[in-house]
Amino acid sequence: MWNQKPSFRFEIDNYSEKPSIQIQSKTFVAGGCEWYLNAFPKGGYLAVHDHFSLFLQVANRTMLPTGWKRKVSFYFTLLNQSDKELFRSNIVRCQVLDVKGPSWGFEKLCPLSKLQENGVLEKDRLIIEVYINLIEAVDGESGDVSGKEETMDINGFKVLASQVTLVRKIFAEHPDIALGLKSKNQVLKTAYMNVLIGLINTLNKPSHNHSETELTKAGSELSELEEVGFKLDWLKSKLEEVILERKNEDVYGNKVIQLEERVKNLEQMENKMKRKIVECFLERKKAKDDGSRVQTLEERVYYLEAVDSSSRLDCLTLKSKSGGVSLEKMKKVDDADASRVQQLEENLKNLEEIVSDLKVKLDEGKEKTSCDGFLLVGDDEDMEKLSEKAFSWEIDNFFERNGVIRSDPFTSGGCEWLLCVHPKGKLVDDHLSLFLHAVNPVSLLPGWRRRASYHFVLLNQSGKVLSTTVEELRFFCAEAEGRGSHRMLPLTKLQEEGFLEDNKLTIEVYIKVVKVVAEGNLTGNEMVDFRGFHVLNRQAVSVSNIFVLHPDVAVDIRSGIKEVKTAYMNILLGLVETLDKAPQSLSDTELTNAESELSELEEAGFKLDWLKPKLEEFSLKRKQATSSPRVSPFECIDFLSLPRRKYQTIN
């Protein structure tokens, strides 16, 4: 039944120093599915804290389609540094993991007293092996499904089934955490809770695993949660503690690296000077030198050796201050793996090279930019590297065209495309608009999608480049089968005398197809990034239209948290959809909710002057409709004009 080799081997160094809450392994693949291990050195959330707890969990669950499940059998073994088996779990047979229960394991896998016995864990290392036999894997339903996990209500917060245990624990330990929460909007409350859960998981990691960026982001998220009303003094203390630990580790780690670097440099200088001395001795022997030069060099070497000794003394002093910890041990404080220092140095070197290249390209780009702000492109080989010229289209009598103009279909990357140009703009009336479309999208198989990078170039009759767009990498699918630019070129620029020769415009499109899926189980629930907002793929067109018509709508938004920004955008899209209905179809409750949502969005920094008058108009019409006198339906009937009917008497 079982493969002789473990499905995954999870090695935990410095086990006794690990935090008591949880340790997560990296994601691994077994049976074609992604998993990770979740270990609790002092017991899980529900266990008495006298046992080691261990669970197998499905990874990347939010990326799986609705209805996914895994039927699996598995077991764990615990080993020490010498691969001696310390404990073996029972076999979990035919366990079904799904949205409601994405993990399974043992709250009381092994008594802590056994792991704490003297000599059991050699070199303080614990090794976990998991053996997995996948029986069945269902990737979810196809068709039009919502893509949402089942949720539960906990103290007014809608949380996923997989989050219930943690959220209950939060409220049990901090009952007043959300008493001062300002927002009553359910979408925003859900977003805030997801941010809080992510923040807790981040701070539960060992301090040496936190990057400076992570800690800065955590501080920003905590401040924003406090601003909206959460009481997080307990979490703030935890963050300050982690930051302090991180700073201390950096101070010692950097000092050690600096001292070792000094010693290394001095040793190199010493060897170089000694070689010089040998050369001088040879010269003295040959030229009967009086030895003065040799003496001078010897004195310099003695001086360097003294400095060398001083540096080594600095190292010893630092060692004593850190409690007798060796240099190697001190570097491990910064990272459990001493090779991280070397890796960071390599990363820094690579970054310096990248920055240098970018500076060169930036300077080249500046030289190619004209005074009117349009990028002039000549023989740009960099564009060719990203995408290849796929199609060239010449349009005659351009100024006489009004409606949308479509090109002939063409093929690139094994896919069929066409161009659509709007001479008088699309959604905007002061710019030329240009889009790349998939040909006959309705004829493609359900779930089709393409990922392609592209850019446009506009030229006049003489081949002079008038404008070009930046290279963009985008998804094309049923919900967004066309991509391009609403503001390709200002009409005032296009209409300048001599700008467009002979009333002809040439459009070139460069395309590189990265990925093609002819058929899939996509439902439009995939997330895409648009102007810093993560929205569903099927919402991309609506969001794009809002930004085209109102470019400054989110310029002043105060939140920088992805989940909160996503919640705000969902509220805005719902508000726009509500106000697109007929006024008489809206209830008083819907109008009240709309007013509350608009007010909350404006407080968050959205500029909605364009939406506010429409809501006021709806409210006024609604009030007029309710205040007008009601007429009985019978008053509208002219009974005298009705045809007379004969009635038969029933005996």
Side-chain angles (χ1 to χ4, degrees), residues 95-132:
Q95 180 62 42
V96 175
L97 304 181
D98 54 19
V99 171
K100 296 181 179 179
S103 66
W104 198 264
F106 301 89
E107 287 282 356
K108 296 184 177 181
L109 178 65
C110 175
L112 295 182
S113 56
K114 180 176 180 63
L115 298 179
Q116 293 166 351
E117 289 178 3
N118 189 27
V120 170
L121 288 185
E122 301 172 354
K123 297 184 179 180
D124 202 18
R125 170 178 285 191
L126 175 66
I127 300 173
I128 302 172
E129 291 183 343
V130 56
Y131 295 77
I132 299 175

Side-chain angles (χ1 to χ4, degrees), residues 22 60 100 146 157 282 295 350 383 465 559 604 637:
Q22 64 177 328
N60 299 320
K100 296 181 179 179
S146 64
F157 290 86
L282 293 175
Q295 183 179 357
N350 293 336
M383 290 291 188
V465 174
S559 179
I637 302 176

